[in-house]
Amino acid sequence: MDKAESDVKIRHIGMSAPDIGPQEIAKVVEVLQSGVLSIGPMVEHFERRLAGYVGAQHGVAVSSGTAALHLCMVAAGVGPGDEVITTPFSFVASANCILYEGGTPVFVDVDPRTGNIDPAGLEARITPRTRAILPVHVFGQPADMDAITAIAHRHGLVVIEDACEAIGAEYNGRRVGALGDAGAFAFYPNKQMTTGEGGMLVTSRPEWAALFACLRNQGRGAMNGWLEHERLGYNYRMTELSAALGVVQIDRIEELLAKRARVASAYTQRLANVSGIDVPSVAPTTTRMSWFVYVVRLDRALDRDRIIADLSAAGVPARPYFPAIHLQQHYRERFGYAEGSFPIAEDMSRRSIALPFHGGLSDSDVDYVCERLAARLRP
Ligand SMILES: *Cc1c(COP(=O)(O)O)cnc(C)c1O
């Protein structure tokens, strides 16, 4: 390495990072000292706080976002041969949950501006076997819920929101998660708020709240003893330690979201005029974006994977985001999907790069990432 080269300092920027402070640490220690590590007051406290925040009547904490989605499929009555309409442009769990109950995901292609399921193509895919519609608020931007719920009502279908990437996002002034029959949130460490691992179901249907509580706890009903199981259940409980993290994080949610929004706007400011990429677009119905990731789309002529490799060599982690679900090996083998099945989702997934993103990125981190990216794109 010559002198000039070694002068260009390579930084190592984290792809994502949880925002954990002294309050979270104190709360977890409090739980440890209490001796109650599961099925205790912290989970109930977290459930009330989170349900209240999103505007739902009930919250039921579970061990992951995937577990939350699975229980929604049970509540929707999905069984072998049943169909659930959903999006191919998402994290794989939003379609896997349908398979867990023997159902078939029926994919509908997405809106090229937002990456969310396009209601225009939706109604034509409803059959007598359709049980539910499962929109995903991808990247923290609400799906077009008025159009989706109108179709669902016309056909007597339930709507399950995968809000795992979108806590606090608002659709026409209303928070996501409480817009359908049930909503699922996730708290893995890369999400806007974290409990380590964890998830939350929200619903305003009391019978579903009771069912979710029973299903997550080995099928024990509210009136049952410890070894009485009224239905097939699971151990999807959240620990008190996780709930302690959750209680503090939901209290800090506005701060956490504001930090992320600041970083997103720093990116947009620096990248809006860089040629070769499009910055994320925000729909008019999105009255509040809950920034989960910052994903730019490259021009079709650019070699996305080479650019990711070059950024990585410069200390900037970047990810192809998302690979379309129907092109994952399991889905290709099981359903025979190939390229061309859902062209808009495939185009988005070929061109998208998630840049390092979390609330702790400084302006100079963002400068560094944007300079590296712009330099790589310069002709
Ligand atoms: C994170 C995520 C999930 C699953 O959450 P886990 O807690 O990791 O199980 C589901 N759907 C989407 C869209 C997600 O981003």
Side-chain angles (χ1 to χ4, degrees), residues 63-67 69 90-91 93-94 136 138 162 164-165 185-188 190-191 197-199 292 321-322:
S63 52
S64 70
T66 306
L69 289 166
S90 172
F91 181 61
S94 62
V136 178
V138 85
D162 180 339
C164 290
E165 303 191 349
F185 289 97
F187 311 119
Y188 186 73
N190 70 336
K191 311 280 182 185
E197 295 280 0
F292 169 52
Y321 209 71
F322 280 114

Side-chain angles (χ1 to χ4, degrees), residues 250-319:
I250 191 69
D251 277 343
R252 293 180 56 211
I253 190 72
E254 292 306 325
E255 174 206 338
L256 298 176
L257 295 180
K259 284 180 175 173
R260 299 174 82 97
R262 192 193 59 76
V263 174
S265 83
Y267 267 128
T268 297
Q269 235 169 46
R270 288 160 180 75
L271 295 175
N273 297 317
V274 172
S275 61
I277 55 171
D278 288 329
V279 297
S281 77
V282 176
T285 48
T286 301
T287 45
R288 183 180 198 186
M289 186 83 181
S290 171
W291 289 94
F292 169 52
V293 281
Y294 193 87
V295 176
V296 296
R297 254 179 290 169
L298 300 179
D299 283 1
R300 290 186 182 82
L302 295 167
D303 183 343
R304 193 260 318 261
D305 296 338
R306 282 287 306 278
I307 291 172
I308 289 179
D310 293 346
L311 287 174
S312 159
V316 175
R319 301 270 151 78

